[in-house]
């Protein structure tokens, strides 16, 4: 088992993101799983990411506020406790 205390999480810069802060919890340089990454991102109002595509599958969970996700031109608003899966590429 690998435990990551919130205070130990390292900030990282995600490409093509703006007005946000991200912490890497597991995967990549944070250790743990080799096949996926777990991160925590805080987007300020007006902040965002993309447009881009990556080979990594993604799951987003909204903890508070709202997040607008646009995939293939379709816009979906996620609210607190909503989640979505975005496939690779």
């Amino acid at each position: 088992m690998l435990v990551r205390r919130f205070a130990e999480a390292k900030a990282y810069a995600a490409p093509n993101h703006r007005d946000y802060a991200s912490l890497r919890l597991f995967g990549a340089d944070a250790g743990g799983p080799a096949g996926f990454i777990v991160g925590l991102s805080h987007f300020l109002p007006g902040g965002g990411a993309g447009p881009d595509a990556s080979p990594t599958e993604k799951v987003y969970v909204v903890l508070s506020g709202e997040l607008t996700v646009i995939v293939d031109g379709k816009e979906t608003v996620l609210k607190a406790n909503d989640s979505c899966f975005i496939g690779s590429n």
Side-chain angles (χ1 to χ4, degrees):
M1 179 171 77
L2 179 60
V3 174
R4 176 82 61 237
R5 304 290 179 196
F6 185 77
E8 299 169 343
K10 304 284 188 220
Y12 72 98
N16 209 19
H17 284 52
R18 61 195 175 283
D19 296 331
Y20 80 105
S22 288
L23 298 173
R24 175 118 340 116
L25 302 175
F26 293 101
D29 57 337
F36 63 93
I37 295 170
V38 177
L40 176 66
S41 297
H42 177 86
F43 288 91
L44 297 174
D52 67 358
S54 73
T56 305
E57 296 176 316
K58 297 178 176 95
V59 173
Y60 290 92
V61 179
V62 177
L63 301 178
S64 66
E66 293 183 352
L67 178 72
T68 301
V69 180
I70 304 169
V71 176
D72 295 330
K74 183 180 178 200
E75 194 169 300
T76 303
V77 176
L78 303 176
K79 297 183 179 192
N81 301 312
D82 290 343
S83 58
C84 73
F85 165 78
I86 300 174
S88 60
N89 301 313

